[in-house]
Amino acid sequence: MNITEFVELSFGEWRSQRSAHHLAFAHYEEVISTINIEQIAVDDSRVAELCKLHNVDHNLAISPFKMSWEGESNWDEDETQEGSTILIPISDSGDLTKGRLLREQGYAETIPSIGEFKINEDGTFVLVTKYDRAAAEEKIWFVTPNLRCRVSLIKTSNGKGVTTASYSSEIRSLSKS
Amino acid sequence: MNITEFVELSFGEWRSQRSAHHLAFAHYEEVISTINIEQIAVDDSRVAELCKLHNVDHNLAISPFKMSWEGESNWDEDETQEGSTILIPISDSGDLTKGRLLREQGYAETIPSIGEFKINEDGTFVLVTKYDRAAAEEKIWFVTPNLRCRVSLIKTSNGKGVTTASYSSEIRSLSKS
């Protein structure tokens, strides 16, 4: 599995069932959301812009995509959380199983981020993103073409502690014809 | 990482925070439990008995251990679930990164089971257990020596569908001196 194949498998609409564990307090949070992942052309102007922002050669961009989500947390049922972000895998070495991932907007922080990704031999996508005061580690793998599992950890910046662990079951929404 | 190292890292008391996703209904279940994992001597009579039950040469047993748990589900707060089981990794080939795992009592079914395990290059323990009408796939990995993540999937017996996905954050309980 390489990043191009992984991104292609991810295109479409997904229903995400997410549980967040706030570890220090054994606290739970549950969110149901809809996630859309769609292709963006490598020559799209947004790709060049985001590469420029990160000072990265846009010719290294591979399979850029847009992710949008709309969700509802059990913490505040009146509040619908929605947003979207553009993501651009960058292959620095030509090896399509590892590289950097540029994001217009991160998960843990709403600022642009650069993470490092690799795809393990078993097809698991692993992404590590360092922020000023925290680090995020994310693992995503396909169980079937229509089910992805995602585990996201928010770590302290030294990487030794984990404050929040989230797990999502992501099920492909079948066509609504 | 091999099975002996993985089992040794697992010894101790863990507080487990678990979320189960019943996928068809987007239903959640939450369980907090205490898990104890302790060493058993390879020459313990229970090891020989369980090997005999499965018709396996007990000389192939490696790092047997006992797991016990006590938990409370949010589905029925008055009901405390507790139990224990003996687990015996079996190395058929001498390669300590893969083999079979004998269980006195499975998770998905309360009958003895044999699963197939392997430990991936990134240290993730993967266990697949086939039952008559279902299959279970479990992944466990250490994020730090004091935090394990566990994802358990219950599949239909043909392996194509997933009915339940569970995620546990398991935190080592520090000594209560």
Side-chain angles (χ1 to χ4, degrees):
Chain A
M1 177 91 81
N2 65 37
I3 187 65
T4 301
E5 292 162 346
F6 190 89
V7 170
E8 273 176 14
L9 281 170
S10 301
F11 290 145
E13 183 179 303
W14 301 82
R15 191 198 72 198
S16 164
Q17 183 173 355
R18 179 167 174 264
S19 293
H21 296 174
H22 301 280
L23 299 182
F25 309 104
H27 202 109
Y28 291 91
E29 185 181 7
E30 294 162 355
V31 186
I32 299 282
S33 58
T34 301
I35 296 174
N36 263 287
I37 300 176
E38 56 194 283
Q39 191 167 17
I40 293 181
V42 284
D43 57 3
D44 189 293
S45 63
R46 294 170 292 181
V47 173
E49 279 166 28
L50 188 55
C51 285
K52 193 175 171 193
L53 178 72
H54 285 296
N55 206 20
V56 169
D57 179 359
H58 70 270
N59 292 309
L60 300 175
I62 291 181
S63 307
F65 57 101
K66 180 182 172 187
M67 206 169 111
S68 49
W69 59 89
E70 189 170 340
E72 209 174 79
S73 165
N74 66 340
W75 276 21
D76 184 351
E77 290 188 1
D78 293 332
E79 189 191 356
T80 298
Q81 300 171 325
E82 58 180 79
S84 73
T85 189
I86 287 171
L87 298 104
I88 308 175
I90 298 293
S91 171
D92 293 294
S93 65
D95 176 350
L96 297 185
T97 67
K98 61 183 182 181
R100 290 181 287 169
L101 183 68
L102 311 187
R103 260 202 266 222
E104 199 187 10
Q105 183 181 310
Y107 291 118
E109 316 243 339
T110 56
I111 51 169
S113 67
I114 305 188
E116 306 253 341
F117 76 84
K118 62 176 176 177
I119 296 179
N120 286 343
E121 280 192 358
D122 68 351
T124 302
F125 170 87
V126 182
L127 177 68
V128 175
T129 310
K130 287 177 180 146
Y131 299 97
D132 274 356
R133 297 184 189 177
E137 183 185 304
E138 188 157 54
K139 291 188 179 184
I140 306 175
W141 67 96
F142 285 87
V143 177
T144 73
N146 298 322
L147 175 65
R148 309 199 318 175
C149 293
R150 179 196 295 253
V151 174
S152 306
L153 304 173
I154 307 294
K155 300 183 173 186
T156 53
S157 52
N158 65 12
K160 290 186 182 165
V162 175
T163 55
T164 308
S166 301
Y167 167 73
S168 305
S169 305
E170 299 179 347
I171 300 171
R172 187 183 295 281
S173 301
L174 296 179
S175 67
K176 301 166 236 173
S177 58
Chain B
M1 178 91 79
N2 64 38
I3 187 64
T4 301
E5 292 162 346
F6 190 89
V7 170
E8 274 176 14
L9 280 170
S10 301
F11 290 144
E13 182 178 303
W14 301 82
R15 191 198 72 198
S16 164
Q17 183 173 357
R18 178 167 174 264
S19 293
H21 295 175
H22 301 280
L23 300 182
F25 310 103
H27 201 108
Y28 289 92
E29 184 180 8
E30 294 163 354
V31 186
I32 300 279
S33 59
T34 301
I35 296 174
N36 264 288
I37 300 176
E38 57 194 281
Q39 191 168 16
I40 293 180
V42 285
D43 57 3
D44 189 294
S45 63
R46 294 170 293 182
V47 173
E49 280 166 27
L50 187 55
C51 285
K52 193 175 171 192
L53 179 71
H54 287 295
N55 207 19
V56 168
D57 179 0
H58 70 269
N59 291 310
L60 300 174
I62 291 181
S63 307
F65 58 101
K66 179 182 172 187
M67 207 169 109
S68 49
W69 60 89
E70 188 169 343
E72 209 173 81
S73 164
N74 66 339
W75 276 20
D76 185 351
E77 290 190 1
D78 292 332
E79 188 191 356
T80 298
Q81 300 171 325
E82 58 179 80
S84 73
T85 188
I86 287 171
L87 298 106
I88 308 175
I90 298 292
S91 172
D92 293 294
S93 64
D95 176 352
L96 296 185
T97 66
K98 61 184 183 182
R100 292 182 286 171
L101 183 68
L102 311 186
R103 259 201 268 221
E104 201 186 10
Q105 181 181 310
Y107 292 118
E109 317 244 338
T110 56
I111 51 168
S113 68
I114 304 188
E116 306 254 340
F117 75 86
K118 63 176 176 176
I119 296 178
N120 286 343
E121 280 192 358
D122 68 351
T124 302
F125 171 88
V126 182
L127 177 69
V128 175
T129 310
K130 288 175 181 148
Y131 298 97
D132 275 357
R133 297 184 189 179
E137 182 185 305
E138 188 157 54
K139 291 189 179 184
I140 305 174
W141 67 95
F142 285 86
V143 178
T144 72
N146 298 322
L147 175 65
R148 308 200 319 176
C149 294
R150 179 195 294 250
V151 173
S152 306
L153 305 173
I154 306 296
K155 300 182 173 187
T156 53
S157 53
N158 64 13
K160 289 185 182 166
V162 175
T163 54
T164 308
S166 300
Y167 168 73
S168 305
S169 305
E170 299 179 346
I171 300 170
R172 187 182 294 282
S173 301
L174 297 179
S175 67
K176 302 166 234 169
S177 58

